[in-house]
Amino acid sequence: MSNVGADQQSLPDTKMEFAVEMRSPCCANRVKNALDGLKGITSINMDFSTQRLFLEGSILAETVRDVIEKEAGISAVLLGLGTTSKQNFGAGVAAISIGNSGVQGLLRFIQTENSCIIEGTIDKLPTADPVYLTVHESGDVTAGCDSCGSLFKSSDFQGILSQLEPKPNQTAEFKLVNPNVKLSEILGHCVVVHRGNQKLIEENKSERLACGIVARSSGLYENSKRFCACDGVTIWQQRQREKDMKS
């Protein structure tokens, strides 16, 4: 994958806050055993009485959740992301779910003092053609991804976030740093997954596979919810619905 602005070894650590369905010290031990030795983790703190896990490292949040759920067999919900700085510069999220190609995924954005950290997992990507992730002029999806407009451009940022390199299973997992992206500028804009090279994207001739709108999300310690406001189900019930939809 083309890692815009930094290579993997220079990525900064981020802090993550999870709600984890730990009901006893035994559950907490299962979570700890699942995470022990996982590359990219620098610190772990958990409290089963509050069902909270705090973790620091360069690892992807989705990787942490997958390991907890698959190896420990316990549901986990990401509540907040932040930097190791004491100051919260903002966080965002974009669900890649609009489009008919089957491509879908989730992106997370963390604003730092000097750059934006973008991490994500995108599934069902084509593996034979170039695939790019971009930011566009608007958040209009009334006509699907085609109504997102042209590339969003500022004095420093030209709309291209990264070229993705899907694995043979058609999944791309990535964490990158872009010093030219400002979360405050792209909130409400569409992020689009393209099939085609950069020239085709610039000329609006690439295939737009899927897209989603960048929205503000909770930072560290800003989300204490136990129930989903939309229908009153617990966060664990909602998480099970998400897993059922993917299976």
Side-chain angles (χ1 to χ4, degrees):
M1 177 184 65
S2 175
N3 219 2
V4 179
D7 58 43
Q8 183 68 28
Q9 296 181 353
S10 65
L11 291 174
D13 283 356
T14 52
K15 290 183 177 180
M16 311 168 200
E17 178 187 3
F18 289 87
V20 184
E21 200 174 13
M22 300 178 288
R23 301 184 182 277
S24 69
C26 178
C27 292
N29 287 335
R30 283 162 55 191
V31 173
K32 186 176 185 303
N33 290 337
L35 295 176
D36 273 350
L38 198 60
K39 187 177 179 181
I41 295 178
T42 55
S43 70
I44 298 174
N45 291 287
M46 64 178 69
D47 184 350
F48 80 86
S49 65
T50 60
Q51 296 187 315
R52 289 295 186 270
L53 165 68
F54 298 92
L55 182 147
E56 186 174 321
S58 59
I59 192 170
L60 273 68
E62 294 299 308
T63 300
V64 173
R65 186 180 70 178
D66 286 348
V67 168
I68 293 172
E69 294 189 335
K70 292 176 181 178
E71 297 190 18
I74 297 173
S75 292
V77 176
L78 181 67
L79 296 180
L81 277 174
T83 68
T84 54
S85 169
K86 292 182 179 180
Q87 186 173 353
N88 179 12
F89 294 97
V93 64
I96 306 299
S97 58
I98 299 168
N100 299 317
S101 66
V103 172
Q104 58 184 352
L106 188 69
L107 306 178
R108 300 188 186 279
F109 303 81
I110 309 169
Q111 184 65 52
T112 72
E113 187 173 7
N114 300 311
S115 60
C116 188
I117 303 170
I118 304 117
E119 68 169 62
T121 301
I122 303 179
D123 301 317
K124 299 183 181 178
L125 291 166
T127 57
D129 302 307
V131 183
Y132 280 83
L133 184 65
T134 63
V135 180
H136 286 252
E137 289 178 331
S138 79
D140 180 7
V141 292
T142 53
C145 303
D146 289 335
S147 56
C148 296
S150 300
L151 290 176
F152 170 81
K153 295 184 179 182
S154 65
S155 57
D156 298 316
F157 177 52
Q158 298 302 300
I160 304 289
L161 286 175
S162 181
Q163 181 177 358
L164 304 178
E165 293 182 0
K167 299 175 183 177
N169 65 358
Q170 297 182 279
T171 296
E173 298 178 334
F174 52 91
K175 187 172 187 177
L176 57 96
V177 177
N178 194 317
N180 299 320
V181 174
K182 294 180 176 61
L183 178 60
S184 59
E185 292 183 348
I186 66 171
L187 284 170
H189 291 256
C190 278
V191 286
V192 178
V193 179
H194 294 259
R195 187 207 308 256
N197 58 39
Q198 283 192 235
K199 185 174 185 293
L200 291 175
I201 295 171
E202 290 278 357
E203 295 174 350
N204 284 326
K205 295 179 180 179
S206 61
E207 181 183 359
R208 300 185 180 190
L209 297 173
C211 58
I213 301 171
V214 182
R216 194 179 303 277
S217 67
S218 298
L220 287 171
Y221 321 118
E222 294 180 345
N223 186 352
S224 60
K225 73 176 184 179
R226 298 278 182 162
F227 295 88
C228 297
C230 54
D231 53 12
V233 300
T234 68
I235 57 175
W236 313 124
Q237 291 171 318
Q238 178 61 30
R239 177 60 189 141
Q240 187 58 51
R241 287 181 179 178
E242 293 171 359
K243 289 189 284 187
D244 290 344
M245 288 177 65
K246 291 187 71 173
S247 62

